[in-house]
Amino acid sequence: MEHMEGLCVTDCERCPELVDSRSRIVNGVGPEDADLLFLGEAPGAKEDEGGEPFVGRSGSVLDDALREAGLARADVRITNCIRCRPPENRDPRSEELSNCRGYLAREFELVDPELIVTLGKVPSQHLLDRGVAITNESGSVLDARVGDDSYRVLLSVHPAATLYDRSQREGFFETISRAADLSGLSESNNGQASLGDF
C-alpha cells in the first residue's frame, strides 16, 4: 500500500530490502514552490536518523556553498531519488530508483522548479537516463524529461566529493553559484539582476 500526500510519501513498501534498512521515509524539505531544487541519490545514516536530506558532512558543504551564493537552505528544495536508506549506504539499485521515480515526478510537478541541480553521478544518470562522467560533465545544463514534463537540469559533483578531493571544492561552489543565477534566485537577494557570464 502506498500513500503520497502532497509532497510527502507517508507509507511505501515497494522495496523490501529498503523497508528493512530504513528507520523512516525521508521526504524532501524546503519551499513547495521552490525555484531551485537539489537532487541527491538516497538518504544516508544521518538523514535516516534525522528525517531530512543532506544533514551530514556533505550537507554542511552544501550549506556553505549556498551561503556563498547568497542563499539559505530554507530558500531551496532538497530531495533524493529514493526516500529510504539503502543498507550499508550502498548505491540505490535500478529497480529501487524506478520504484521511487513516480514520487519524484510528482514532487517535481508540484514544486515546478526553474532549475534542478543533480548532486553526483547517481541522480544525474537517473534523470538523463544515460551514463554520466560527472567530474567532466559537472556544470553542464541539459533538459531532462521526468513524468510528463521537461526540466532544466544543472549537473554537479556530489558535495562529498569535495571532502575527499579538495580540488573539487572550487568547482562545486561555482556550480552552486551558477545555479543561483540560472534559477533567478541570485537577483532577488542582492537587489540587482545578475546577467551572469554565460
Side-chain angles (χ1 to χ4, degrees), residues 25 28 31 67 73 84 98 114 117 119 130 138 140 145 147 157-159 164 168 176 182 187 195:
I25 293 173
R67 200 172 310 120
R73 184 181 259 260
C84 300
S98 51
E114 292 293 318
V117 181
L119 297 170
R130 66 170 172 80
S138 184
S140 312
R145 277 202 82 70
V157 297
H158 193 283
Y164 309 118
Q168 301 256 14
I176 302 308
L182 289 171
E187 305 156 28
L195 298 168

Side-chain angles (χ1 to χ4, degrees), residues 62-126:
L62 178 59
D63 289 346
D64 290 348
L66 287 170
R67 200 172 310 120
E68 199 162 290
L71 301 174
R73 184 181 259 260
D75 299 329
V76 302
R77 181 115 190 132
I78 305 173
T79 196
N80 281 309
C81 293
I82 69 169
R83 292 168 192 251
C84 300
R85 181 192 176 195
E88 310 302 314
N89 287 351
R90 66 160 167 74
D91 282 352
R93 300 199 169 115
S94 55
E95 68 272 17
E96 292 163 351
L97 288 163
S98 51
N99 282 344
C100 225
R101 189 159 173 121
Y103 298 141
L104 192 62
R106 181 82 182 120
E107 185 169 12
F108 287 179
E109 185 190 332
L110 291 169
V111 174
D112 193 25
E114 292 293 318
L115 183 71
I116 294 168
V117 181
T118 55
L119 297 170
K121 183 178 180 158
V122 170
S124 303
Q125 294 187 156
H126 185 51

